[in-house]
Amino acid sequence: MRNRTAVRAVCLTLAAVSLAACSVSRSRNPGSAPKDDEPAASATPSEDGAGDPYYPTDGNGGYDVTAYHVQISYDPSSKNLTGDTLVTAKASEELAEFDLDLQGLEVASVTVGGTNAKFTRSGEHELVITPSAPVAAGASFETRVKYSGVPETTEEGTLGENGWQLSSSGGAFAAGEPHSATAWYPANDTPKDKATFTLDARVPDGWSVISNGVESAPTPGGDGWTTYHWKEPNRIATYLTTVGIDKWTFERSTLPSGTPVVSAYAPGAEDKQSVEARLPEILEFLASKFGPYPQSAAGGIYINENIGFSLETQTRPIYAAWAEESVVVHENAHQWYGDSVSVDQWKDICLNECFASYAPWLWDEAKNGVNLDDQYRREVARGTDKLWSGKLYDMGPGNEFTAVYEKGPLALHALRRLIGEDAFNRVLKEWPAKHKDGNASWPEFEQFTQDIAGKDLTGFFKAWFHDDTRPADEYLYPGPLHK
């Protein structure tokens, strides 16, 4: 994600999340599902929260989602959404009760394994589901949720609204980090639980739909509505899913590899076609640095809105009206660092943003002849206490999307000069290959880098990534950077 005012890519800054949120009260407010018998007392409910200390009520324990099939109808005139989502999962424990995350929308019914289940709402986003019989540990099961209403924004950070947002043309789109998905479909809202994603979105004729992954031909309904079909076969974190409903102008092509490219431009954003025209070149360059392109499709979603961020929605980033070439480089670097390899916890966010923020440096070096050592020295020389006080690892809730965009690329350039070109290039390519389609943590990255470099980097990593002060000169000016 990139902020429009940053010198380098500065992502959405989020409000601090109180750890007290972990103690959400679960008052049982019966839903409209039939009253089945209570489950056996020996079965235990899943955990409320996936274990991330920064967002303790996000996600849920007890199961692993393998696939989402989201079906929605959206009427731009009334702004009403009706949804029918099928969540396929595998239980990791016996489930007498489990949660999904859903923001605001009214739930009409829930079934588990085709049988009606009881449900309640708890806290800001918990949908608490009690199946008619406990789900056995190790069993695969399907949960179907039908719901409707006017979707809400999930929160407002310092750069503006997140979640479901309305466009000036009358359409709508979903974007935000770490929350956006649960504004329009029920999900296990944690990057630790990635799953495949299928979307069937029905809209009135004259409107069209863009989303993640590979498209299939739209289906006219004969009733003044058309259904658009998108499928992401690679596993995807929920905040990286999106839907855009507008009167899009589409461009379609393929990469030399055969990967389909679909880009969409909202009314008023057609001038961004010249920016997107360099996407094949950008992806070829990034692949030369990070390894083969890891996604099923490519493209971009260009909205005509001056929101405060662009976002790396998987396969097809969303770009604000101000986005230019460097932003396209940044968001597509995320297709390796952040999308294919996702964080284990939000304190690991440097694995996403530090690398995506260094990618425009690499692009400028290769394409524009920029001397990165000189650029590094200039930025270090004008660095303030604010720059150095930002931690790059375990920075605390609410601080994830701050230092990683300016201090992050400095730290990576210093690492590059410390371990040398060969080792650094191996790190850039071998890390996303090792963890493709998975999750990883910053401590794992430190050990991985030390193994490749063949040296103890504990002092360097502590000074740059763990500490909140200016690094000592031995770490600030290693190798060729030495003053």
Side-chain angles (χ1 to χ4, degrees), residues 368-380:
N368 302 317
V370 174
N371 185 308
L372 295 189
D373 288 351
D374 289 345
Q375 178 173 304
Y376 173 91
R377 293 187 189 99
R378 285 193 301 271
E379 296 202 13
V380 166

Side-chain angles (χ1 to χ4, degrees), residues 224-279:
W225 292 67
T226 297
T227 303
Y228 291 80
H229 309 284
W230 294 90
K231 182 178 180 62
E232 173 50 281
N234 293 333
R235 298 193 311 150
I236 182 172
T238 49
Y239 78 94
L240 297 171
T241 63
T242 190
V243 61
I245 298 160
D246 218 315
K247 298 179 179 180
W248 301 105
T249 296
F250 287 96
E251 282 187 328
R252 296 176 174 88
S253 62
T254 58
L255 298 176
S257 63
T259 300
V261 180
V262 181
S263 298
Y265 307 86
E270 294 87 354
D271 62 332
K272 294 299 182 180
Q273 289 174 318
S274 61
V275 176
E276 184 73 350
R278 296 196 75 177
L279 178 63

Side-chain angles (χ1 to χ4, degrees), residues 296-335:
S296 66
I301 303 171
Y302 288 83
I303 60 176
N304 190 28
E305 314 301 323
N306 277 312
I307 60 173
F309 59 89
S310 295
L311 180 65
E312 63 271 18
T313 41
Q314 191 160 308
T315 69
R316 199 162 284 113
I318 293 175
Y319 298 106
W322 45 264
E324 297 295 344
E325 181 179 285
S326 64
V327 183
V328 178
V329 175
H330 176 101
E331 302 305 345
N332 280 283
H334 275 305
Q335 302 307 312

Side-chain angles (χ1 to χ4, degrees), residues 67-74 80-87 102 105 142-149 164 184-186 197-203 209 211 219 225-230 243 245:
Y68 293 101
H69 187 174
V70 180
Q71 300 179 81
I72 62 170
S73 293
Y74 183 73
N80 190 73
L81 179 147
T82 59
D84 183 349
T85 291
L86 186 69
V87 182
L102 182 65
L105 297 166
E142 292 182 336
T143 303
R144 186 175 185 179
V145 182
K146 295 185 177 182
Y147 53 97
S148 63
W164 191 267
W184 60 290
Y185 69 93
F197 177 79
T198 301
L199 174 66
D200 300 316
R202 179 175 172 267
V203 293
V209 178
S211 185
T219 307
W225 292 67
T226 297
T227 303
Y228 291 80
H229 309 284
W230 294 90
V243 61
I245 298 160

Side-chain angles (χ1 to χ4, degrees), residues 38-366:
E38 291 294 330
S42 60
T44 58
S46 68
E47 297 177 15
D48 175 14
D52 194 314
Y54 286 15
Y55 300 94
T57 63
D58 281 8
N60 306 282
Y63 62 91
D64 173 61
V65 177
T66 57
Y68 293 101
H69 187 174
V70 180
Q71 300 179 81
I72 62 170
S73 293
Y74 183 73
D75 184 355
S77 62
S78 66
K79 302 178 177 59
N80 190 73
L81 179 147
T82 59
D84 183 349
T85 291
L86 186 69
V87 182
T88 304
K90 184 175 183 179
S92 56
E93 62 183 77
E94 187 178 55
L95 298 176
E97 175 187 278
F98 62 94
D99 294 6
L100 288 169
D101 301 305
L102 182 65
Q103 181 85 17
L105 297 166
E106 181 178 351
V107 176
S109 65
V110 178
T111 62
V112 177
T115 301
N116 287 326
K118 293 195 297 183
F119 60 90
T120 64
R121 305 301 289 268
S122 177
E124 293 185 356
H125 54 74
E126 297 296 330
L127 174 61
V128 185
I129 298 168
T130 305
S132 61
V135 178
S140 294
F141 64 103
E142 292 182 336
T143 303
R144 186 175 185 179
V145 182
K146 295 185 177 182
Y147 53 97
S148 63
V150 176
E152 304 172 355
T153 54
T154 58
E155 62 195 2
E156 182 160 343
T158 59
L159 300 182
E161 294 179 336
N162 305 291
W164 191 267
Q165 304 188 50
L166 302 179
S167 58
S168 55
S169 60
F173 60 95
E177 183 181 9
H179 307 119
S180 65
T182 56
W184 60 290
Y185 69 93
N188 191 19
D189 200 20
T190 168
K192 288 175 70 72
D193 195 358
K194 300 165 71 169
T196 62
F197 177 79
T198 301
L199 174 66
D200 300 316
R202 179 175 172 267
V203 293
D205 292 347
W207 298 88
S208 51
V209 178
I210 188 80
S211 185
N212 309 88
V214 180
E215 66 176 335
S216 299
T219 307
D223 57 355
W225 292 67
T226 297
T227 303
Y228 291 80
H229 309 284
W230 294 90
K231 182 178 180 62
E232 173 50 281
N234 293 333
R235 298 193 311 150
I236 182 172
T238 49
Y239 78 94
L240 297 171
T241 63
T242 190
V243 61
I245 298 160
D246 218 315
K247 298 179 179 180
W248 301 105
T249 296
F250 287 96
E251 282 187 328
R252 296 176 174 88
S253 62
T254 58
L255 298 176
S257 63
T259 300
V261 180
V262 181
S263 298
Y265 307 86
E270 294 87 354
D271 62 332
K272 294 299 182 180
Q273 289 174 318
S274 61
V275 176
E276 184 73 350
R278 296 196 75 177
L279 178 63
E281 180 187 1
I282 289 170
L283 291 178
E284 181 182 26
F285 171 76
L286 293 174
S288 74
K289 296 295 183 182
F290 303 150
Y293 182 64
Q295 303 298 348
S296 66
I301 303 171
Y302 288 83
I303 60 176
N304 190 28
E305 314 301 323
N306 277 312
I307 60 173
F309 59 89
S310 295
L311 180 65
E312 63 271 18
T313 41
Q314 191 160 308
T315 69
R316 199 162 284 113
I318 293 175
Y319 298 106
W322 45 264
E324 297 295 344
E325 181 179 285
S326 64
V327 183
V328 178
V329 175
H330 176 101
E331 302 305 345
N332 280 283
H334 275 305
Q335 302 307 312
W336 287 262
Y337 283 87
D339 292 14
S340 179
V341 184
S342 300
V343 294
D344 186 63
Q345 295 188 337
W346 286 105
K347 65 183 179 180
D348 302 310
I349 195 64
C350 187
L351 289 173
N352 297 13
E353 300 299 346
C354 293
F355 288 87
S357 298
Y358 192 57
W361 284 48
L362 296 171
W363 174 262
D364 284 343
E365 179 182 45

